[in-house]
Amino acid sequence: MLSFEQKLENYALLAVKIGINIQPGQTLVVNADIASAELVRLVVRQAYEAGAKLVKVNYSDELVTRARYELAPAPSFLEPPKWQADELEDLARNGAAFLTIVSTNPDLLNGIDPARIADNQRTVGQATAPYREMLMGNHASWSIVAFPSPVWAAKVFPDAPSEEQVELLWDAIFKASRADQENPVEAWTLHLNGLKQRCDILNAKKYRKLHYTAPGTDLTIELPEGHIWCQAGAVNGRGVPFLANIPTEEVFTAPLKTGANGKVSSTKPLSYSGKIIDRFTLTLENGKVTEFTAEEGHDALATLLATDEGSVYFGEVALVPYHSPISESGILYYTTLYDENASCHLALGASYAFTLQEGTRMSKEELLERGMNQSLTHVDFMMGSPEMNIDGITDDGIAEPLFRNGNWA
């Protein structure tokens, strides 16, 4: 059995070698909460040992973030961070890779005026749009991993003794990320090959539509012509493979922007901008959310849907079997990075250009013409369950079983 230190070294190795796949002479940008400094230091060493030219670390602090939302003057949330946006765009254009280490606090912004949150997200989103478009088009390598903070661990394991909560969350993260294995790189290679085989099957089918049925859900989603089923393992604009998030259990593609009709109900809480949105339902007509309800976080959901014109349309369709490792762990993580890998999910907001044939070579206008949604946001929410059935519908209108009782048919 590996020691904690060995597992943590493995985890850092996976972030650098499988996630980012740092190349000799490349710059790595690490964005992380100050609580994750222990992991950051290991990542920095691993990156330099792999040949990185420079590792630039940007630390944040959730208490500082909270203080700004509480005390800063309201007009400050409307001032674009041009210096930050220009730096990110320049780094991406010059081949830098970007690693984000999230240390979730699902309740960080409880009680904060939703207007402040919305203004800041819109302003930052508009300023950093060119950078985000490069990442969503896989022109630069990017990846996301997690670090368990005490407040996050307490949320996930509320009934455990406080002194054991972080250890329990570390154990869950190591298992889900395969960092607890003797050769985690080999384990990830095998896993990604399995996901690729699933994508190959779906890409050969070329379904026109997907029809979802489950308690509270009866939804049809049309897929654009030329759509591509992908997994999180990708290749950047320089031909270098990387893995966008660790862990991952999904295969996904883009929906036709105007092709969703019916009703869909969430099956897990959504942690969005420091608030929890739970037990919510969306009604869609011609792709657009026309009605919504939420038993918890109604205002936060309203803020999300009001981000811009594209935030009321879907940008991603993802399939995850109920019998997957994270689902079967029975743990609710309160962060999309993990919970999306326990459930089929959809995303409100922007589509990924690489999920359309030749999409990374198209302009924004061309992507829109092909039915790919554009937005400042991209937020996944979970809607899969053991009761979910999904049919793939062919061009001839024939419905083929794709999922039955939450698993591949």
Side-chain angles (χ1 to χ4, degrees):
M1 179 178 291
L2 301 182
S3 67
F4 174 84
E5 290 74 19
Q6 290 172 315
K7 294 174 186 176
L8 192 62
E9 283 281 357
N10 280 350
Y11 193 48
L13 175 69
L14 288 172
V16 172
K17 290 290 185 69
I18 295 293
I20 289 301
N21 189 15
I22 199 72
Q23 300 296 294
Q26 190 176 23
T27 294
L28 173 62
V29 181
V30 180
N31 299 303
D33 189 275
I34 197 169
S36 62
E38 178 183 16
L39 177 59
V40 170
R41 294 174 189 131
L42 291 176
V43 165
V44 169
R45 293 192 64 86
Q46 291 275 9
Y48 279 126
E49 288 172 1
K53 175 178 66 176
L54 172 68
V55 183
K56 176 179 171 54
V57 178
N58 299 321
Y59 279 120
S60 59
D61 183 329
E62 65 177 27
L63 296 181
V64 171
T65 299
R66 172 85 191 191
R68 183 190 174 208
Y69 276 110
E70 287 179 338
L71 303 172
S76 71
F77 295 103
L78 299 174
E79 296 178 6
K82 188 175 185 305
W83 59 272
Q84 181 186 34
D86 290 347
E87 180 185 51
L88 290 171
E89 184 177 353
D90 182 67
L91 285 164
R93 290 194 186 283
N94 285 283
F98 300 85
L99 176 67
T100 298
I101 301 175
V102 297
S103 192
T104 299
N105 181 348
D107 302 313
L108 176 63
L109 299 184
N110 277 354
I112 297 296
D113 182 0
R116 288 180 165 236
I117 299 172
D119 286 345
N120 186 62
Q121 289 180 332
R122 190 177 300 108
T123 301
V124 173
Q126 290 170 345
T128 60
Y131 158 72
R132 291 185 302 99
E133 287 166 9
M134 280 189 279
L135 264 58
M136 294 195 74
N138 284 347
H139 297 292
S141 299
W142 56 282
S143 190
I144 307 172
V145 298
F147 186 94
S149 66
V151 67
W152 179 24
K155 184 78 173 180
V156 177
F157 297 104
D159 298 327
S162 59
E163 65 273 15
E164 298 177 9
Q165 290 168 339
V166 170
E167 181 181 353
L168 288 169
L169 188 49
W170 263 129
D171 287 344
I173 287 174
F174 286 149
K175 183 175 182 180
S177 66
R178 296 171 172 80
D180 61 347
Q181 300 190 25
E182 290 286 349
N183 192 334
V185 173
E186 180 181 347
W188 268 102
T189 300
L190 292 172
H191 176 54
L192 292 175
N193 285 340
L195 292 177
K196 182 180 182 300
Q197 291 173 8
R198 187 68 68 182
C199 291
D200 290 343
I201 293 171
L202 290 168
N203 285 325
K205 286 289 187 180
K206 294 183 173 63
Y207 288 122
R208 173 58 59 191
K209 298 178 182 179
L210 301 179
H211 182 208
Y212 297 77
T213 55
T217 294
D218 188 348
L219 180 71
T220 300
I221 297 180
E222 188 173 351
L223 305 178
E225 184 176 354
H227 68 273
I228 303 173
W229 286 95
C230 304
Q231 38 99 355
V235 177
N236 70 17
R238 303 186 181 204
V240 178
F242 68 96
L243 181 61
N245 48 272
I246 299 175
T248 181
E249 302 289 339
E250 67 178 324
V251 297
F252 62 94
T253 191
L256 184 70
K257 177 179 178 179
T258 57
N261 289 278
K263 181 178 290 188
V264 59
S265 297
S266 68
T267 52
K268 290 180 180 289
L270 168 62
S271 177
Y272 173 71
S273 294
K275 296 188 176 184
I276 294 294
I277 307 171
D278 198 10
R279 300 179 299 281
F280 60 93
T281 298
L282 306 177
T283 301
L284 296 101
E285 294 180 13
N286 299 321
K288 184 177 182 179
V289 176
T290 56
E291 298 178 25
F292 67 94
T293 63
E295 293 185 27
E296 180 180 354
H298 185 276
D299 289 347
L301 180 57
T303 298
L304 167 59
L305 293 170
T307 301
D308 59 15
E309 187 272 340
S311 60
V312 290
Y313 293 87
F314 291 147
E316 180 186 332
V317 177
L319 302 178
V320 181
Y322 183 74
H323 289 315
S324 61
I326 295 176
S327 175
E328 292 180 339
S329 74
I331 298 172
L332 180 61
Y333 288 89
Y334 293 97
T335 178
T336 300
L337 177 61
Y338 276 75
D339 289 334
E340 73 169 6
N341 291 300
S343 168
C344 288
H345 54 275
L346 303 168
L348 289 161
S351 298
Y352 291 108
F354 59 82
T355 56
L356 186 72
Q357 291 174 8
E358 302 296 322
T360 57
R361 300 181 182 181
M362 296 181 185
S363 66
K364 291 175 65 175
E365 292 73 22
E366 289 172 325
L367 288 168
L368 280 169
E369 288 178 4
R370 295 289 299 276
M372 301 287 280
N373 192 29
Q374 303 284 318
S375 176
L376 296 174
T377 194
H378 179 98
V379 178
D380 298 299
F381 69 92
M382 286 56 74
M383 40 75 77
S385 72
E387 295 79 36
M388 174 159 282
N389 294 327
I390 307 174
D391 286 337
I393 301 175
T394 67
D395 280 334
D396 297 331
I398 299 172
E400 299 180 350
L402 191 57
F403 266 53
R404 285 296 180 267
N405 299 318
N407 294 289
W408 291 104

